[in-house]
Amino acid sequence: MCRNFKFKNKILFIFITIFVVIVLMFSGTLYYYSSNTVLDIRHRYLQSSAGDISAQIDTVFRSVNNASIAFTMDRSNIDLIMDLYNNPDDENFYMKKTKLSKNLSTIYTIINDIYNVVIFLPDHNKFFTYLKQNENLINNPCNLYTDDTAEDLIKSKRGAHLDDWSEDPGIVFSSIDTFKTMYSRKLGYLELQIPYKKIEKICKSKESSFEVYIFDDKGNMMYPYLDDEDEIIEKSRYYGLVSNDYKDYKRKNYMLASYTSDYMGWNTVIVDKSNYSMNKIKLNTVIIFAFSLVLLLFTVFIYNFLIKKLTLPLRLLTNKIENISLENLSLQVNSQDLDEFAMLDKSFEMMFARLRHAINNEYEAKVRDFQSLYQSMQSQINPHFLYNTLSILSIKCEEGDGMDASRMCLELADMMQYTASSPNALGNISTEINHARNYLNLFSNHYEENLSYVIDVPDKMHNIKIPKCIIQPIVENSITHGLENILPPWEISIIGHCTDDKWTIKIYDNGCGFDEQKLLELKDKIKEYEKNILDYNLTNNLNIGGLGLLNTYARLKIHFGDNLFFDISRPKSRGTLIIFGCYYDGDF
């Protein structure tokens, strides 16, 4: 689209496009963050308010319940109730009732806003009200408290309900406790009524736009008091409260938060229908839009100034880059018609090409030197191993064990031929396994039954190409350093495994294994080697010290590249497990 634009216009088009995209992304992110922040702050306030209301209601009911329990468990009160229960028609009935009334003064001193106090004996259909005298009701509520219904009725009366013990009933909350004998025989009940206005005042102590609903653990509405059952169901469904799952909602048209009290176990739900959150979000939207517009206009205004500053150093920078190389090579650019960015790009490409070429040449030369050194090292069989093998061979000959002696000679000859041949240092898993098996057979002649080994490699892995002298040096390292400080029996296992996308070889010994510090140092060197490859710091790998396992890893890495899998670990309380392999796609 902008190919036919002039250079200056190209920069303007690209710059403005990028800037607009960034501003839109920034504005969208800021809008999303600010909107969620407003909603979260408002929601946390609702949750805090629900918690405050719930805590205050808990405090009211805790004090009432504690007073009720203390009164119903007082020995003198129980004796009076038991006397009334056993002698309901006694002539001293009024005196006992009066004595109970005097004892109730302890409750009045603790709770100063009790609506009414009722003591009733359902078995004898008798009740006494102490603050509101209504003892001649036509419909006596005592008959409602049967053995089957009393428990559920007591629970339901905890919520807002009409006073059953009054001819002109008000709305109350009740706390009902039982008078019992020492053998848990029910004698009667004490009902302390809390005025509805007290709970209503607590629920309306926050913002006037809040609607407060309280439900028990079974989903029954405790507050507010509603005459219409259909209205209760409608509100519950509208706010998603018809089930026992009181989830919190954050919506733009209304917000809902809930809190479950610690004492009563009630769920206090606050619904906020105010436009507070929406007004905040709209204000944030206007601010973000205005800020983005001003920023865009300011950017266009300073474009002419910036473009002059931007184009001036391009040619100077290009000239400097052209003169940079490892050997101070220079690129002569004679054309004055080339676009500045194309010149800069071309100069960078040529400079990095020269740098990579020089680095790779140096790295290849050092690797070839390293491989030559390793080939000369691998051609030398360990003199101690050779001495021990020849000594055992001599003993076999003296004892007349010609078969074993002949076998040992053949195995030793195979090993020497393998290390001396194939200057390209590339073999396959089959020859590597055979080389390691010869080594283990010769070594086990010295230790007889103390050393055992297992080799299990699938046939389809035998032709996989790997660098020569990889497996046998690992086995030799396991025997030399892993088994020397522990008592036999010694075990070596070489297990091959192949899947659809990877093959691995696991070499395990039951020796003392690496100590943690040395294992960490070795893994750190391997990570450093890999990082240098990724960062093109190839020459740094030549300075990483140590031979042995690290050089084995380096040879495998050079051959397999990024497909190499290599790991060293201590799988048990002792021993060492070395795993190497290669990921592949298709054939090996």
Side-chain angles (χ1 to χ4, degrees):
M1 176 178 178
C2 60
R3 282 183 181 177
N4 298 326
F5 288 2
K6 292 182 179 180
F7 175 72
K8 183 178 179 180
N9 294 332
K10 287 182 182 179
I11 294 180
L12 175 62
F13 178 82
I14 295 172
F15 186 82
I16 294 299
T17 302
I18 294 174
F19 179 80
V20 169
V21 171
I22 293 175
V23 168
L24 288 176
M25 292 176 62
F26 174 79
S27 301
T29 304
L30 187 60
Y31 173 80
Y32 177 81
Y33 174 79
S34 62
S35 299
N36 281 342
T37 301
V38 169
L39 293 174
D40 286 338
I41 292 173
R42 187 64 173 175
H43 189 254
R44 284 196 295 270
Y45 174 70
L46 261 65
Q47 286 182 319
S48 175
S49 300
D52 291 343
I53 292 172
S54 181
Q56 292 181 59
I57 292 175
D58 273 0
T59 300
V60 172
F61 274 90
R62 184 182 286 108
S63 60
V64 172
N65 289 344
N66 289 341
S68 177
I69 292 172
F71 187 87
T72 55
M73 296 187 66
D74 185 85
R75 187 70 260 170
S76 62
N77 294 333
I78 294 175
D79 291 339
L80 288 171
I81 293 297
M82 184 180 294
D83 197 5
L84 288 172
Y85 184 91
N86 294 329
N87 304 287
D89 299 320
D90 188 11
E91 59 184 3
N92 294 324
F93 183 88
Y94 181 80
M95 182 181 66
K96 296 172 184 176
K97 173 189 171 184
T98 304
K99 191 171 184 180
L100 282 172
S101 176
K102 292 180 180 180
N103 292 347
L104 284 170
S105 61
T106 58
I107 294 179
Y108 304 148
T109 58
I110 299 173
I111 308 168
N112 55 10
D113 52 355
I114 289 291
Y115 180 85
N116 198 5
V117 179
V118 183
I119 296 176
F120 55 99
L121 309 176
D123 291 348
H124 298 293
N125 209 27
K126 288 184 176 294
F127 69 94
F128 328 116
T129 57
Y130 287 92
L131 297 180
K132 296 183 181 295
Q133 301 298 324
N134 294 289
E135 299 180 6
N136 298 314
L137 292 175
I138 298 175
N139 296 318
N140 192 331
C142 287
N143 53 23
L144 300 176
Y145 291 84
T146 65
D147 291 338
D148 295 331
T149 62
E151 193 67 28
D152 292 335
L153 192 59
I154 290 172
K155 288 182 179 180
S156 67
K157 284 198 171 186
R158 291 177 183 173
H161 65 281
L162 292 175
D163 178 19
D164 296 327
W165 311 97
S166 175
E167 294 178 351
D168 183 20
I171 305 172
V172 295
F173 295 81
S174 296
S175 173
I176 302 177
D177 280 290
T178 308
F179 293 99
K180 295 181 181 179
T181 66
M182 60 187 305
Y183 302 106
S184 298
R185 178 187 175 189
K186 292 181 181 179
L187 302 174
Y189 298 91
L190 169 68
E191 179 176 344
L192 301 181
Q193 295 179 345
I194 304 168
Y196 179 83
K197 290 184 178 180
K198 182 178 182 64
I199 303 300
E200 186 180 46
K201 182 179 179 181
I202 294 173
C203 292
K204 291 185 176 181
S205 61
K206 303 297 179 179
E207 294 183 12
S208 59
S209 62
F210 288 177
E211 294 181 8
V212 179
Y213 301 93
I214 301 176
F215 300 81
D216 65 9
D217 56 353
K218 292 185 178 180
N220 300 314
M221 183 179 286
M222 300 287 103
Y223 176 89
Y225 176 79
L226 299 175
D227 292 323
D228 189 354
E229 186 68 25
D230 293 335
E231 185 180 358
I232 296 175
I233 296 174
E234 180 184 357
K235 286 186 175 294
S236 299
R237 286 177 177 171
Y238 183 76
Y239 297 122
L241 307 177
V242 73
S243 67
N244 292 335
D245 187 16
Y246 293 88
K247 296 181 180 178
D248 289 356
Y249 296 90
K250 292 182 291 184
R251 300 178 181 174
K252 292 184 178 180
N253 56 342
Y254 73 91
M255 188 173 291
L256 182 151
S258 65
Y259 185 88
T260 302
S261 67
D262 297 328
Y263 181 74
M264 297 297 292
W266 288 356
N267 294 285
T268 301
V269 181
I270 293 182
V271 179
D272 179 18
K273 287 188 175 181
S274 68
N275 293 322
Y276 176 87
S277 300
M278 278 300 297
N279 292 336
K280 282 284 187 180
I281 292 173
K282 289 178 180 178
L283 178 61
N284 289 342
T285 303
V286 172
I287 293 174
I288 292 171
F289 177 80
F291 172 79
S292 301
L293 183 60
V294 170
L295 193 58
L296 180 61
L297 293 175
F298 176 77
T299 303
V300 174
F301 174 78
I302 64 172
Y303 160 72
N304 288 324
F305 174 79
L306 291 178
I307 197 64
K308 293 178 181 179
K309 294 291 183 181
L310 179 64
T311 56
L312 178 62
L314 282 179
R315 292 183 181 275
L316 297 175
L317 181 60
T318 302
N319 292 332
K320 291 181 180 180
I321 292 174
E322 289 169 350
N323 295 321
I324 296 175
S325 69
L326 288 179
E327 300 177 0
N328 292 322
L329 299 176
S330 60
L331 174 65
Q332 299 297 330
V333 181
N334 297 319
S335 176
Q336 301 298 323
D337 299 326
L338 294 177
D339 185 87
E340 287 83 355
F341 285 108
M343 292 166 56
L344 182 62
D345 182 66
K346 186 176 180 181
S347 298
F348 266 115
E349 287 183 4
M350 296 184 68
M351 180 191 70
F352 284 118
R354 289 194 297 270
L355 289 174
R356 288 195 184 100
H357 181 70
I359 292 174
N360 288 337
N361 284 343
E362 182 180 357
Y363 183 72
E364 281 188 29
K366 293 296 180 100
V367 168
R368 284 195 291 269
D369 292 342
F370 170 80
Q371 289 177 337
S372 298
L373 173 62
Y374 195 87
Q375 288 173 7
S376 65
M377 292 176 61
Q378 72 182 26
S379 63
Q380 303 174 9
I381 298 179
N382 190 311
H384 294 287
F385 169 75
L386 187 59
Y387 171 78
N388 292 334
T389 301
L390 292 176
S391 297
I392 295 171
L393 184 60
S394 175
I395 294 172
K396 295 287 186 181
C397 292
E398 290 177 359
E399 293 177 351
D401 193 352
M403 293 296 292
D404 275 355
S406 175
R407 175 185 58 79
M408 290 179 63
C409 287
L410 290 174
E411 290 172 344
L412 184 59
D414 284 346
M415 287 190 65
M416 298 182 71
Q417 181 185 15
Y418 185 70
T419 57
S421 63
S422 301
N424 60 5
L426 196 64
N428 56 41
I429 289 181
S430 177
T431 55
E432 279 292 290
I433 291 297
N434 186 61
H435 185 56
R437 184 183 288 109
N438 288 335
Y439 176 81
L440 287 168
N441 285 338
L442 292 173
F443 205 90
S444 61
N445 287 319
H446 177 68
Y447 293 100
E448 297 180 348
E449 296 179 354
N450 289 330
L451 176 64
S452 62
Y453 68 88
V454 174
I455 298 178
D456 183 12
V457 179
D459 293 341
K460 62 180 180 179
M461 292 177 57
H462 283 186
N463 293 326
I464 297 174
K465 298 294 183 182
I466 63 173
K468 285 182 61 177
C469 294
I470 290 292
I471 298 177
Q472 184 270 332
I474 296 176
V475 173
E476 182 177 358
N477 186 76
S478 298
I479 294 174
T480 304
H481 300 290
L483 305 180
E484 61 181 0
N485 295 323
I486 65 169
L487 296 175
W490 302 315
E491 299 174 0
I492 300 287
S493 63
I494 304 173
I495 307 298
H497 183 66
C498 185
T499 63
D500 292 338
D501 62 348
K502 181 178 72 171
W503 62 263
T504 57
I505 290 180
K506 300 180 181 179
I507 302 174
Y508 170 75
D509 68 77
N510 66 338
C512 59
F514 283 92
D515 62 54
E516 293 294 333
Q517 185 62 32
K518 287 186 178 180
L519 186 59
L520 288 175
E521 289 177 0
L522 181 58
K523 289 188 174 182
D524 287 342
K525 287 185 177 182
I526 290 175
K527 289 180 180 178
E528 182 183 356
Y529 186 93
E530 292 177 343
K531 184 177 183 299
N532 288 335
I533 292 177
L534 292 174
D535 295 341
Y536 289 100
N537 296 324
L538 305 180
T539 54
N540 290 352
N541 285 338
L542 303 173
N543 299 322
I544 298 177
L547 293 173
L549 289 175
L550 183 60
N551 284 340
T552 298
Y553 166 78
R555 295 178 66 220
L556 289 169
K557 187 69 176 179
I558 291 171
H559 180 70
F560 291 112
D562 293 337
N563 292 328
L564 175 67
F565 175 82
F566 190 90
D567 185 58
I568 305 173
S569 62
R570 294 185 62 180
K572 300 179 181 177
S573 59
R574 70 181 201 180
T576 301
L577 175 63
I578 298 177
I579 306 175
F580 70 88
C582 178
Y583 296 96
Y584 62 90
D585 184 13
D587 297 332
F588 295 126

